Amino acid sequence: MTAPPPDQVRSFQQARTVSPAAVEQELASLWRQAVDSPGGGAGEQVTRACLWNLIVYDPRPERDGPGGPEHGKALRTLLDQVTVAIPARILRLEAWAADRAPAPEREVEAWVAARCLMPDAGARQLAVEEITYAGYGSRGLSHFPSLVRATLLPDLPIAMLWLDDLPHEGWLLDQLLPLCQRVLIDSQSVHRDVALLAVDKLVNSTVTLFVDLGWMRLTPVRYLLAGLFDPPGRAEQLADLRHVRIVTTQRGRNAGLLLLSWLLSRADFRAHMPLAPEGDDMLYRWRSRRGSAAVEVEFSIEAGEGGYDGVILAELNAGGDLFSIRQVDDEHVALHSPDRREQKLALHGWREPELVIAGLGSLGIDRFYPQTLAVAASLVEDTTWNR
Amino acid sequence: MDNPLREGLIQERVPEPLVLVIFGASGDLTKRKLLPAVYTMTRERLLPAAFAVVGLSRFEWDDDRFRAEARQGCDTFARRRPVDETLWSNFGRSLHYVAGEFDDPEAYERLKARLTEIDARYGIPGNRLFYLSTPPSTFPVIVERLGKAGLVSRQLKPWTRIIVEKPFGRDLGSAQLLNRQLKQFFREMQIYRIDHYLGKETVQNMMALRFSNGIFEPLWNRNHVESVQITAAEAIGVEGRINYFEEAGILRDMVQNHLFQVLCVTGMEPPVAMTADAVRDEKVKLLKALRPIPREKMDEHVVRAQYARGRVLGESVPGYREEPGGNPASTTETYVALKLLIDNWRWGGVPFFLRTAKRMPKRVTEIAVTFKPAPHLMFARNGAPPVPNVLSIRIQPDEGITLHFGSKVPGPSIDIAPVNMEFRYGTSFGSEPPEAYERLILDAMLGDGTLFIRDDETETSWGFISKVHEAWAEQRRKALPGYPAGTWGPPEAEALVKEAGLEWRKP
């Protein structure tokens, strides 16, 4: 999976302010301009491609520089790369403070834009329609659900990219969630592990599919760990798991918890008893049980950035043998197992656009995420309760 | 026991530890396709940790030279470039080389010793995948030498499999003979006859289009389909393969394998499951339903021709007989068009037109299904013909599907204009499709033969094609039509479709 370079995307029409009630007419007008504009004349095709309605909830649009040329630049680059790979009608919901309204009575504004991929052959391909709604203050936000419902393309699935902290209960979420088939969140966007409890609650209370980009970020590490147990006889050793050690940075705290929870749930350890941590670095310690079998689990936090996913070390003692994956630098890990000398490998982590693209594709449907999240939530809940 | 950590990952199964042994390791296919495919699979973590490649050819190379050649091939042709240095340091070490002639028994003893050593070093339990990337004339001797050296096991564990590149025989008799030779040492389930067309995403998508959507299959029959055209056009000529091509001709080179495979996935009945035998059973049934062409009516059903000098994509090119090393009196066909009829309930009376050629205006492969017109044309003005509904599935380049239909032109009168509804792979799915060889080699490693050709498939298709060659052999003195390079073929081919009231598409 490769996200295309953003410089393949050209805007043939600058975004312009329109009345929210006139959004669809304005988009139709953009279509006509796309055909008529220089370079889009007779013989050249302008084709709309669309696979998803993608709602992007951005509660902090100011962070990229309010009103200036840098406004939304990072998000703009992300969406360009995502939508070139997966064409979508984008509905951007920007939550602004009330005092940023251009006029006191103005509660909501809209912009429409269309951008197209410039394929090598020179033929023009319109790939994206984008509608931005800016809501000013809480009254402005209250318009979002009705505006979204009015401008979704019919017969296409709906996904929401949630750029806020991990979602929990809230009026806006309650309104938007039932519209969506998928919600893309990032468990690494916050460094508090208790946030996983709220996500677990949400995941269990709705039929909407939650796609956790933080979980997907772990995919390369999961592949490598799984590979250690491919040689004949190694999978059996997972049944005799004796000790697990996870070390992460603060940023990788939730990722580490998810990785640990995945390992425990795949090895069928269901009951977890918190123990007192040993030493200054250790954050948590548990004893997990599967029937009469028990595994000791240590979870530590170290200072630093922690590279791609924030996980510095995952080490397993299974059947008396040591298996580990250790971060070497931002892009490489070292694998260790009884079957090979320590081996340095490139991690080939996914960049943000690739994560979102994967999340909107079949990789976003991961039947093991809910059960992993449930284990993570129970680990956190037990620990918090006993602290 | 299955690895529980594998569950839920995109590749839930990785092949068991194995050694891939490539015969013809110094050849073009190995450098351009096979090793880049294996590198990319390693890059995408689709292969087991315990994996090695052994190349064998007559060149006096050593491991280092083989690795250098492989690196050059991957640098130039791998789908994921640039090559990852860290990955290469491990991958390169897993490449090994044995020099030897294909008919030299001692070469196989050296190979055996090397494999034993590699098994011990990597912890590989003796699983072998042999890849014959060699001229077809060498297949029998390689198979025999492998068998006699004790390198072939009929057991399920450890397993031995063999991939055989096309051409699989040159007529029915030679295909049957080769099957018998292979089966002296391998069971049919161990033999993977490769046709890289079946590894192409769009060919597989034909099955997805037909069998995962409710709207197409009810129309996919004689009641609604008027005709089907399958085109595989190449702009290039013989590209230095004149000796091979002079022996083969395009009927052998393209129709017996690639085009018949495309014909099968277009016309076959829905298989009961996407399993190797279920799919191949249906393909064989379709091939068996092809109406034999009577020898005396061959010209009414098959047109062959040879390209003359002309201009392709703005460049002057020589005629086939003027190609370097070409025979000035050659009667080898570089163009062939066939009108086929399928005698079953689904397709009774529907003509299938197949066409393939060198030196056509451009490179394009497509399937075009033309539907019957509406029964009552109430919008026809001034006797204008109705817009035919055509569903075209483009296999290469620019893979995608287009539906051609009529639409009202905006305005006060009802004028109907043709419009296209397009789906393009490139814009709908951002992910890059794997190379055909990646998919097929991985399937063979996993023991999945769905996209490979079974013995009865190849014999049935050769049975049909050999009849055409026999008829042509009787027409040796008949002049071979020509067509200027860069055109869509000879006028004689127009007659083939004109009888059905059609024209060849210009895709």
Side-chain angles (χ1 to χ4, degrees):
Chain A
M1 181 184 52
T2 316
D7 59 3
Q8 281 186 304
V9 179
R10 297 282 184 276
S11 176
F12 65 81
Q13 169 68 43
Q14 291 298 318
R16 56 183 179 169
T17 311
V18 299
S19 154
V23 160
E24 290 291 356
Q25 293 94 311
E26 286 297 325
L27 281 170
S29 159
L30 284 186
W31 274 92
R32 283 193 293 276
Q33 289 173 26
V35 175
D36 296 338
S37 64
E44 288 197 24
Q45 293 185 345
V46 180
T47 306
R48 179 169 64 169
C50 195
L51 289 178
W52 283 92
N53 287 290
L54 180 61
I55 303 166
V56 181
Y57 176 59
D58 186 359
R60 287 184 291 269
E62 292 98 331
R63 62 186 162 193
D64 295 314
E70 294 297 300
H71 167 63
K73 194 174 177 184
L75 182 58
R76 165 83 290 116
T77 304
L78 172 74
L79 294 177
D80 279 351
Q81 297 195 28
V82 168
T83 50
V84 165
I86 300 187
R89 171 178 278 198
I90 296 173
L91 306 177
R92 279 177 73 165
L93 308 180
E94 294 186 349
W96 292 81
D99 60 5
R100 302 301 303 275
E105 71 283 2
R106 189 78 64 87
E107 293 175 357
V108 65
E109 282 187 307
W111 294 267
V112 297
R115 289 185 314 285
C116 57
L117 170 68
M118 308 296 286
D120 294 338
R124 192 164 56 181
Q125 179 92 24
L126 178 60
V128 177
E129 293 170 329
E130 184 174 306
I131 303 160
T132 302
Y133 294 113
Y136 300 104
S138 57
R139 291 174 66 91
L141 261 62
S142 69
H143 293 288
F144 281 169
S146 64
L147 290 168
V148 166
R149 278 193 289 270
T151 40
L152 289 168
L153 280 175
D155 299 325
L156 285 174
I158 304 160
M160 178 159 60
L161 179 59
W162 186 264
L163 297 175
D164 202 356
D165 288 351
L166 289 183
H168 47 85
E169 294 165 337
W171 172 85
L172 186 61
L173 188 70
D174 288 348
Q175 293 280 312
L176 295 176
L177 206 55
L179 299 174
C180 300
Q181 278 80 44
R182 291 189 197 189
V183 176
L184 279 65
I185 60 170
D186 188 348
S187 56
Q188 281 192 268
S189 65
V190 290
H191 302 161
R192 293 171 286 106
D193 48 31
V194 286
L196 293 175
L197 288 169
V199 177
D200 181 52
K201 193 175 167 191
L202 262 179
V203 167
N204 286 307
S205 65
T206 174
V207 295
T208 303
L209 180 75
F210 274 78
V211 179
D212 183 349
L213 304 182
W215 166 246
M216 296 189 69
R217 214 173 270 118
L218 287 170
T219 305
V221 171
R222 290 168 61 207
Y223 263 104
L224 292 172
L225 270 173
L228 298 179
F229 293 91
D230 280 335
R234 296 300 177 203
E236 284 81 351
Q237 287 184 252
L238 277 171
D240 185 19
L241 196 59
R242 298 172 189 177
H243 189 261
V244 178
R245 189 156 75 100
I246 303 286
V247 181
T248 73
T249 62
Q250 189 61 249
R251 185 176 68 84
R253 186 170 175 151
N254 284 344
L257 274 166
L258 288 170
L259 184 67
L260 170 64
S261 304
W262 170 68
L263 286 167
L264 292 176
S265 66
R266 298 313 303 141
D268 219 18
F269 286 90
R270 305 279 173 197
H272 316 287
M273 178 195 286
L275 304 173
E278 293 174 343
D280 291 343
D281 291 341
M282 195 182 297
L283 181 68
Y284 298 127
R285 193 159 71 95
W286 294 277
R287 180 174 295 122
S288 295
R289 291 198 169 278
R290 182 192 59 222
S292 60
V295 57
E296 293 281 332
V297 180
E298 294 175 14
F299 193 100
S300 305
I301 301 280
E302 280 186 5
E305 285 298 307
Y308 168 66
D309 53 20
V311 177
I312 295 172
L313 174 74
E315 183 183 85
L316 289 78
N317 181 326
D321 288 320
L322 208 60
F323 303 81
S324 71
I325 176 167
R326 181 173 51 82
Q327 184 197 59
V328 176
D329 55 40
D330 281 2
E331 293 173 357
H332 296 89
V333 292
L335 289 178
H336 175 87
S337 81
D339 299 299
R340 60 171 106 192
R341 299 188 300 271
E342 185 159 285
Q343 187 180 14
K344 183 181 166 189
L345 285 175
L347 196 55
H348 294 304
W350 291 343
R351 293 175 298 128
E352 294 306 296
E354 293 172 327
L355 281 171
V356 176
I357 292 164
L360 291 172
S362 58
L363 291 176
I365 306 168
D366 185 340
R367 67 185 191 277
F368 289 105
Y369 177 63
Q371 74 177 230
T372 300
L373 182 64
V375 173
S378 81
L379 287 173
V380 172
E381 190 168 33
D382 289 349
T383 309
T384 311
W385 183 256
N386 281 280
R387 212 160 22 198
Chain B
M1 178 182 172
D2 289 338
N3 178 354
L5 301 185
R6 280 270 164 215
E7 279 188 80
L9 295 174
I10 188 171
Q11 185 71 16
E12 291 201 344
R13 287 174 66 206
V14 290
E16 293 169 17
L18 79 149
V19 183
L20 171 65
V21 182
I22 302 174
F23 287 86
S26 58
D28 207 36
L29 184 71
T30 303
K31 189 171 183 176
R32 296 171 72 99
K33 295 288 183 185
L34 305 186
L35 290 173
V38 173
Y39 164 77
T40 306
M41 288 192 284
T42 307
R43 163 81 169 73
E44 300 199 339
R45 306 204 170 98
L46 301 175
L47 298 183
F51 170 75
V53 176
V54 175
L56 190 146
S57 82
R58 62 190 170 82
F59 283 25
E60 288 296 329
W61 289 356
D62 58 9
D63 286 353
D64 287 343
R65 174 68 191 274
F66 181 50
R67 288 167 187 167
E69 293 284 331
R71 175 63 195 256
Q72 202 180 38
C74 292
D75 280 338
T76 315
F77 302 110
R79 183 164 60 88
R80 291 296 194 99
R81 295 197 302 271
V83 166
D84 182 298
E85 293 298 339
T86 313
L87 182 65
W88 185 266
S89 66
N90 294 311
F91 178 74
R93 279 200 297 271
S94 72
L95 304 179
H96 308 271
Y97 186 79
V98 173
E101 297 288 343
F102 299 140
D103 60 352
D104 177 9
E106 286 183 10
Y108 293 79
E109 291 305 321
R110 289 198 298 277
L111 174 64
K112 191 175 180 179
R114 198 75 194 270
L115 289 171
T116 306
E117 174 206 324
I118 289 168
D119 279 356
R121 190 195 310 173
Y122 292 83
I124 295 170
N127 295 326
R128 308 273 182 260
L129 178 59
F130 296 112
Y131 198 120
L132 304 194
S133 175
T134 58
S137 58
T138 63
F139 294 170
V141 71
I142 293 174
V143 169
E144 191 189 346
R145 294 282 188 264
L146 282 172
K148 289 189 173 168
L151 284 164
V152 181
S153 162
R154 286 181 171 244
Q155 296 171 347
L156 292 177
K157 279 185 185 284
W159 50 257
T160 310
R161 297 176 191 136
I162 188 165
I163 297 178
V164 185
E165 265 288 340
K166 74 156 187 125
F168 197 78
R170 53 173 286 110
D171 54 24
L172 176 59
S174 59
Q176 288 171 326
L177 177 64
L178 185 53
N179 277 336
R180 284 198 299 275
Q181 289 165 331
L182 281 169
K183 288 180 190 177
Q184 277 188 321
F185 296 98
F186 292 90
R187 291 189 289 176
E188 176 58 29
M189 63 181 292
Q190 296 176 280
I191 303 168
Y192 293 75
R193 297 174 192 82
I194 198 167
D195 182 334
H196 73 270
Y197 258 52
L198 285 179
K200 288 182 181 291
E201 288 283 316
T202 331
V203 175
Q204 294 165 48
N205 192 38
M206 186 62 169
M207 287 193 266
L209 178 84
R210 288 187 58 197
F211 305 136
S212 72
N213 293 293
I215 59 169
F216 296 115
E217 206 52 22
L219 305 178
W220 213 257
N221 56 51
R222 63 188 299 276
N223 296 322
H224 301 281
V225 174
E226 188 172 72
S227 68
V228 177
Q229 284 189 25
I230 299 174
T231 298
E234 290 181 11
I236 58 170
V238 288
E239 302 292 300
R241 294 164 69 224
I242 188 86
N243 291 335
Y244 162 74
F245 201 83
E246 184 66 14
E247 281 295 304
I250 205 153
L251 186 66
R252 278 193 187 91
D253 191 48
M254 289 291 292
V255 179
Q256 181 272 333
N257 36 64
H258 303 327
L259 261 65
F260 271 16
Q261 288 300 321
V262 175
L263 171 70
C264 284
V265 294
T266 307
M268 71 186 193
E269 295 298 317
V272 293
M274 269 303 284
T275 58
D277 275 337
V279 171
R280 296 190 290 191
D281 284 348
E282 297 305 334
K283 283 159 57 182
V284 171
K285 274 163 63 180
L286 185 107
L287 289 170
K288 286 182 174 171
L290 285 177
R291 183 184 296 178
I293 304 172
R295 196 166 289 194
E296 68 279 8
K297 292 193 173 177
M298 195 58 72
D299 290 349
E300 295 170 28
H301 288 261
V302 185
V303 173
R304 58 177 166 152
Q306 192 181 68
Y307 65 80
R309 72 174 63 172
R311 294 178 73 84
V312 180
L313 299 170
E315 279 189 27
S316 296
V317 297
Y320 176 74
R321 294 174 185 178
E322 300 152 357
E323 293 278 7
N327 172 6
S330 169
T331 57
T332 299
E333 81 285 356
T334 63
Y335 173 102
V336 68
L338 301 96
K339 176 186 172 186
L340 302 177
L341 292 166
I342 298 169
D343 286 334
N344 63 18
W345 276 62
R346 182 185 287 267
W347 295 118
V350 178
F352 280 69
F353 298 100
L354 275 56
R355 170 179 57 160
T356 181
K358 300 278 186 194
R359 289 287 189 222
M360 295 202 107
K362 60 181 176 181
R363 172 177 173 258
V364 60
T365 302
E366 69 150 31
I367 306 157
V369 180
T370 302
F371 292 90
K372 290 183 175 174
H376 174 49
L377 303 172
M378 56 186 177
F379 300 124
R381 277 160 54 97
N382 307 323
V387 175
N389 296 137
V390 181
L391 184 71
S392 65
I393 297 106
R394 187 177 283 225
I395 295 169
Q396 63 187 10
D398 197 15
E399 298 93 330
I401 297 172
T402 303
L403 182 63
H404 189 71
F405 60 99
S407 176
K408 180 186 175 300
V409 178
S413 61
I414 296 189
D415 288 324
I416 308 296
V419 292
N420 281 350
M421 194 154 69
E422 287 208 343
F423 152 75
R424 292 191 197 176
Y425 261 87
T427 49
S428 291
F429 300 109
S431 58
E432 214 178 335
E435 280 279 324
Y437 278 97
E438 292 169 28
R439 169 69 196 263
L440 294 171
I441 294 171
L442 184 64
D443 278 4
M445 289 175 175
L446 289 165
D448 183 350
T450 307
L451 298 178
F452 294 85
I453 302 166
R454 206 168 55 188
D455 55 350
D456 51 350
E457 244 180 298
T458 192
E459 289 180 16
T460 309
S461 58
W462 271 125
F464 189 91
I465 294 295
S466 291
K467 292 265 190 317
V468 179
H469 279 127
E470 287 164 16
W472 284 353
E474 288 179 0
Q475 300 176 349
R476 267 192 296 267
R477 291 187 185 157
K478 194 172 168 184
L480 187 65
Y483 62 100
T487 66
W488 286 106
E492 287 83 350
E494 293 301 327
L496 212 60
V497 288
K498 206 168 186 178
E499 188 194 346
L502 302 167
E503 289 180 352
W504 284 109
R505 284 171 55 79
K506 295 176 180 59

